[in-house]
């Protein structure tokens, strides 16, 4: 009997074309759609109807997985608690490791599938020793290897990325040729569970975070004004500081212990490196010190750096040239050329 592959079907064009390509390759498919509990209630019925029609068009059975409890614990609570601690979280990295390739993968296995496919733009290969390697998608503007960098070997072993060797334009063309979707809309850049991108409103609305006004100081400790709550800021931010000065101020540091916002000039934002915790290596490091390219946010450019591996598992990253706005809570992803080596969470910056 042919092995069963599950496809995480969101209703969007990428997962639809991923399913289409697997069907064309002769794969036996089961479509899985997971509910987070943060879908717009007034659109749930319409969305489920579209999913059913899409699954029928693809010729696959559709199962709905209730992830509301796990999503709240693993993603939403993490998101809110990070801001409460003065950090800027990355819920998409967290969701891929804990929900899509955690809860959803386990449900897929329980339903008889041996693998889980998604619409991510990334590539995977297996070497002669049986280890799996994660690579960037060939469409550099859509590459999503950054969001997958904290998968384990076991998770990567069961992952399938049918779009890794396609561009977005090719995906749109294949969807149109198969009449899978209507006219594609603009892709949202917002976090899926934050309505209209209103982070501050969402955070205070959860009841887990209370906006607490406090001082705004410069890097020398001189008070410049007052903020309405640290949750409204991230390192590198300029808007919303509202302190008059000879030049614009930028957020340099968020001191949650003292409820203080530290601001300064662009020069004050520069860092020589960062400390990283909970490092997860997809490939075992070959030495205690590695030359890598590091990406500190999804949309930031990779930068050459030296990583020194410490216990914990932790690491110290030193950039070849100083970088601006190194942000605690974000994910530092280490690359060697096209390949993802590993990733960890930024704890603090190193002074330049």
């Amino acid at each position: 009997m042919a092995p069963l592959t599950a496809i995480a079907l969101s209703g969007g064009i990428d997962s639809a074309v991923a399913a289409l390509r697997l069907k064309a390759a002769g794969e036996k498919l089961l479509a899985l759609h997971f509910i987070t509990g943060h879908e717009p209630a007034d659109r749930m019925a319409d969305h489920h109807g579209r999913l059913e029609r899409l699954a029928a068009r693809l010729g696959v059975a559709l199962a709905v997985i209730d992830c509301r409890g796990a999503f709240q614990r693993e993603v939403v609570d993490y998101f809110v608690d990070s801001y409460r601690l003065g950090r800027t979280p990355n819920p998409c990295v967290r969701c891929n490791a804990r929900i899509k390739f955690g809860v959803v993968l386990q449900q897929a296995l329980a339903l008889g599938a041996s693998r889980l496919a998604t619409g991510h733009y990334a590539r995977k290969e297996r070497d002669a020793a049986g280890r799996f390697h994660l690579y960037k998608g060939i469409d550099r503007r859509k590459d999503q290897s950054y969001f997958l960098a904290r998968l384990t070997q076991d998770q990567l072993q069961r992952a399938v990325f049918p779009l890794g060797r396609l561009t977005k334009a090719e995906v749109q063309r294949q969807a149109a040729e198969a009449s899978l979707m209507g006219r594609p809309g603009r892709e949202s850049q917002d976090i899926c569970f934050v309505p209209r991108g209103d982070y501050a409103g969402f955070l205070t609305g959860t009841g887990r975070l209370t906006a607490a006004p406090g001082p705004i100081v410069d890097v020398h400790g001189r008070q410049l004004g007052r903020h309405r709550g640290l949750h409204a800021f991230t390192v590198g931010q300029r808007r919303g500081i509202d302190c008059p000065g000879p030049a614009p101020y930028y957020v340099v540091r968020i001191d949650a212990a003292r409820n203080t916002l530290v601001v300064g000039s662009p020069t004050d934002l520069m860092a020589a490196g960062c400390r990283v915790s909970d490092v997860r290596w997809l490939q075992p490091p070959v030495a205690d010190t590695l030359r890598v390219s590091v990406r500190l946010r999804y949309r930031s450019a990779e930068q050459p750096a030296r990583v020194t591996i410490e216990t914990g598992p932790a690491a110290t990253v030193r950039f070849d040239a100083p970088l601006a706005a190194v942000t605690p809570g974000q994910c530092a992803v280490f690359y060697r050329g096209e390949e993802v080596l590993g990733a960890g969470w930024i704890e603090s910056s190193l002074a330049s």
Side-chain angles (χ1 to χ4, degrees), residues 133-134 149 279-285 290-293 333-343:
H133 299 255
L134 178 65
V279 180
R280 182 172 293 173
W281 296 100
L282 269 170
Q283 303 307 325
L290 303 174
R291 289 292 303 172
V292 302
S293 294
V333 176
F334 309 126
Y335 290 86
R336 180 177 55 208
E338 299 283 298
E339 183 176 7
V340 175
L341 298 179

Side-chain angles (χ1 to χ4, degrees), residues 113 216 348:
I216 301 175
S348 61

Side-chain angles (χ1 to χ4, degrees), residues 90-136:
N90 195 311
C92 297
V93 172
R94 177 93 168 188
C95 181
N96 280 313
R98 301 291 185 96
I99 303 298
K100 288 179 185 171
F101 288 98
V103 177
V104 177
L105 174 58
Q106 291 306 310
Q107 286 291 316
L109 296 176
L111 291 169
S114 59
R115 306 186 302 170
L116 176 65
T118 67
H120 286 103
Y121 290 80
R123 293 176 291 141
K124 164 193 147 181
E125 293 181 10
R126 182 178 182 175
D127 65 23
R131 288 193 66 84
F132 292 87
H133 299 255
L134 178 65
Y135 297 91
K136 300 173 187 175

Side-chain angles (χ1 to χ4, degrees), residues 75-98:
V75 179
V76 179
D77 290 352
Y78 146 81
F79 181 79
V80 178
D81 290 345
S82 294
Y83 274 103
R84 189 168 50 80
L85 295 171
R87 298 163 66 85
T88 302
N90 195 311
C92 297
V93 172
R94 177 93 168 188
C95 181
N96 280 313
R98 301 291 185 96

